[in-house]
Amino acid sequence: MIVLGIDPGLASTGYGVVERENSVYRVLTHGVIRTTPTTPHAERLLEIHDHIRDVLGTFAVQGAAIESWFIHPVSKAAMGMAETRGAIQIAVAAAGVPITEFSPNTIKQAVTGSGRANKDQVRSMIQRITGVTPETDHAADAIAAAICHISSSGLSRAIRQSR
């Protein structure tokens, strides 16, 4: 199974494409899409959309995982996050890839065993699971989202088959 994980943000959107074959997780690509505050807002959203579209066009992605919405204390930042998530979801939907949302705590729990894990613990576990050390927290969170989706989809399949 190949999954695109996404950590959305207007200034920095992390992404990671993870493949699991048997019990081995392999990071096919990862990185951060950085936009510049001086670039017009709509162009920043288009840049994120286009980059995600390109990643989806490069890999045979079967599912996508995105960090779910959380309440942001600054309304301007919350609007940027909401619009970024929309641009990402349009790119994923246009590619015909199903997208699943996971809370930050669920993602941390899936990767570290604790929903309260800090950024260093997530990054360390990503390295232990995949052999890759992400350069940024955004990329680490995106890889973690993909791993969460892959591991939960196996559980969901097992539950369906047991019924």
Side-chain angles (χ1 to χ4, degrees), residues 75-131:
S75 61
K76 185 175 181 180
M79 280 299 282
M81 173 71 81
E83 292 170 340
T84 300
R85 287 172 45 81
I88 291 166
Q89 289 174 337
I90 289 169
V92 173
V97 174
I99 190 165
T100 305
E101 295 186 31
F102 295 96
S103 73
N105 289 351
T106 299
I107 294 168
K108 291 176 193 176
Q109 176 74 35
V111 173
T112 69
S114 170
R116 296 181 176 264
N118 64 38
K119 298 287 186 185
D120 290 336
Q121 291 169 314
V122 171
R123 191 180 279 186
S124 175
M125 285 305 296
I126 294 300
Q127 198 281 325
R128 290 176 77 185
I129 293 167
T130 68

Side-chain angles (χ1 to χ4, degrees), residues 1 16 18 40-41 46 53 55 67 75 78 96 111 139 158-160 163:
M1 174 175 229
V18 178
H41 188 75
L46 182 61
R53 182 198 61 213
V55 169
E67 205 171 85
S75 61
V111 173
I159 291 169
R160 281 193 307 272
R163 291 184 182 168

Side-chain angles (χ1 to χ4, degrees), residues 11-150:
S12 298
T13 291
Y15 66 92
V17 178
V18 178
E19 176 181 41
R20 184 178 77 182
E21 192 171 330
N22 300 318
S23 61
V24 177
Y25 289 89
R26 190 167 62 116
V27 177
L28 303 179
T29 190
H30 71 285
V32 176
I33 306 161
R34 297 185 195 284
T35 65
T36 310
T38 56
T39 301
H41 188 75
E43 289 178 29
R44 294 173 77 184
L45 294 172
L46 182 61
E47 186 177 337
I48 293 165
H49 170 277
D50 289 352
H51 196 105
I52 295 297
R53 182 198 61 213
D54 292 347
V55 169
L56 288 163
T58 302
F59 299 94
V61 173
Q62 298 159 293
I66 189 168
E67 205 171 85
S68 64
W69 180 252
F70 65 94
I71 303 301
H72 197 285
V74 180
S75 61
K76 185 175 181 180
M79 280 299 282
M81 173 71 81
E83 292 170 340
T84 300
R85 287 172 45 81
I88 291 166
Q89 289 174 337
I90 289 169
V92 173
V97 174
I99 190 165
T100 305
E101 295 186 31
F102 295 96
S103 73
N105 289 351
T106 299
I107 294 168
K108 291 176 193 176
Q109 176 74 35
V111 173
T112 69
S114 170
R116 296 181 176 264
N118 64 38
K119 298 287 186 185
D120 290 336
Q121 291 169 314
V122 171
R123 191 180 279 186
S124 175
M125 285 305 296
I126 294 300
Q127 198 281 325
R128 290 176 77 185
I129 293 167
T130 68
V132 170
T133 304
E135 295 176 19
T136 69
D137 291 340
H138 296 296
D141 289 348
I143 293 168
I147 291 171
C148 176
H149 181 65
I150 292 169

